[in-house]
Amino acid sequence: MELTTLWFLIVGVMLIGYFVLDGFDFGVGMALPFLGKDNTDRRLIINTIGPVWDLNETWLIVAGASLFAAFPEWYATMFSGFYLALLLILVALILRGVSFEYRHQGKGEQWTRWFDQFIVWGSVVPPLLWGVAFANLVQGLPIGLLPNGGWIYEGTLLTLLNPYGLLGGVVMVLVTFTHGLVFISLKTTGDMRERARALATKVGIGAILAGAVFLVWTIVMHLDHELLWLIVTCAAIAALALIGGFVANLAGREGWAFTGNAVGIAFALLTIFSALYPYLMYSTIDPAFSMSIEGAASSQKTLELMTWVAVFTLPLVLAYQAWTYWVFRKRLTRETITAGAH
């Protein structure tokens, strides 16, 4: 396997790790106004991700750094073209992170209410805009060529807000919301567990229906793709996994439900990456302007050095994260929430 293809897969794996792990963080944040009857409930919900949410977000940082080093042209074109959307994501993530740390510092109800709102919107906006962005990458964008041979995005934020792109955003929101609700039921007991499981059932129906439309639409757009068999396979596995997670949730098997959702998210993203390959960005202006993996990649020596670094560091990161989840594996109850918790 060529190093360019290998790093395309590595970046994809890192993004999958981010959306699987930070995905349930987003879902937990969205659940606050639906499951938080009082402040103790809301603190209980937030504490389910308290020890891990910042660790989960590091996958985005690592994925971005890898993207910058391995495919600098892709990084530059996407970040300049999607500047406003990415800025909104960054602001939302900052407000969300600050709110986790500061909501319990005030003494008034209004203070806490404001930060709870920041958590909710900081959990809705990123998956919505990420879904819109990835859907547009698959559908194609108005990408042109610069005089020096580089690429430039010639659209605006409104260009991204097309039916297929918006559907991708809605699907991402519904799937992560379901993922987070299942995680809450996995980490809590009693009334909170049952209410989270019941809401996950309702939201899960919408996630499956919207996801099915999105996956079928993606397949139809790429019927002439040389990897159509892989696109169809990944889409089918994603659909079956989401349905399996839904059935497991109905049966009260939160662990299997969470696994099903995680696998569904992973293979939905694999569907997108399979549809992209061997390009990083399709041009709707002229297919000849499309950005190929080889054309956007760094030098061979850079990729070789990065590969050796990844071989030694990635297993350590995975081991540390697995250990963290093992340490904080116990369920939480209302009784565990103290006055100093957040």
Side-chain angles (χ1 to χ4, degrees), residues 156-342:
T156 64
L157 178 62
L158 294 178
T159 306
L160 304 177
L161 303 181
N162 52 76
Y164 181 74
L166 290 172
L167 177 60
V170 171
V171 170
M172 184 68 80
V173 169
L174 291 174
V175 170
T176 53
F177 191 13
T178 305
H179 198 32
L181 290 168
V182 171
F183 184 76
I184 293 173
S185 67
L186 181 65
K187 288 289 294 180
T188 58
T189 61
D191 180 62
M192 179 62 72
R193 176 186 179 185
E194 294 305 318
R195 287 193 288 121
R197 189 167 69 86
L199 185 56
T201 300
K202 297 176 182 177
V203 179
I205 294 174
I208 291 172
L209 294 177
V213 174
F214 179 79
L215 292 173
V216 171
W217 195 342
T218 302
I219 293 172
V220 170
M221 283 196 306
H222 296 85
L223 289 176
D224 58 346
H225 199 288
E226 60 182 11
L227 294 178
L228 178 62
W229 64 271
L230 183 58
I231 298 172
V232 173
T233 300
C234 290
I237 295 174
L240 290 174
L242 290 176
I243 294 172
F246 177 80
V247 173
N249 181 67
L250 284 177
R253 303 295 297 272
E254 297 97 341
W256 285 109
F258 183 82
T259 302
N261 289 333
V263 173
I265 293 172
F267 275 89
L269 289 170
L270 284 174
T271 302
I272 291 175
F273 278 93
S274 299
L276 269 178
Y277 188 85
Y279 295 97
L280 298 174
M281 301 181 87
Y282 289 112
S283 174
T284 56
I285 298 176
D286 187 335
F289 296 164
S290 297
M291 182 187 299
S292 67
I293 293 176
E294 289 77 11
S298 295
S299 67
Q300 185 74 7
K301 289 186 177 180
T302 300
L303 295 178
E304 289 176 358
L305 177 61
M306 290 173 61
T307 302
W308 282 110
V309 172
V311 167
F312 286 103
T313 58
L314 194 55
L316 295 177
V317 173
L318 292 173
Y320 175 75
Q321 185 141 29
W323 176 76
T324 301
Y325 276 92
W326 176 256
V327 170
F328 296 103
R329 66 188 183 278
K330 293 183 178 180
R331 292 180 182 267
L332 302 176
T333 66
R334 284 177 61 96
E335 289 71 27
T336 62
I337 304 302
T338 63
H342 64 284

Side-chain angles (χ1 to χ4, degrees), residues 111-126:
W111 171 281
T112 304
R113 191 182 302 276
W114 271 107
F115 282 113
D116 286 346
Q117 290 296 319
F118 290 152
I119 291 174
V120 173
W121 288 108
S123 299
V124 172
V125 172

Side-chain angles (χ1 to χ4, degrees), residues 98-110:
V98 168
S99 299
F100 284 144
E101 302 297 334
Y102 282 90
R103 72 177 299 275
H104 68 292
Q105 300 293 341
K107 298 182 179 180
E109 182 180 346
Q110 188 61 37

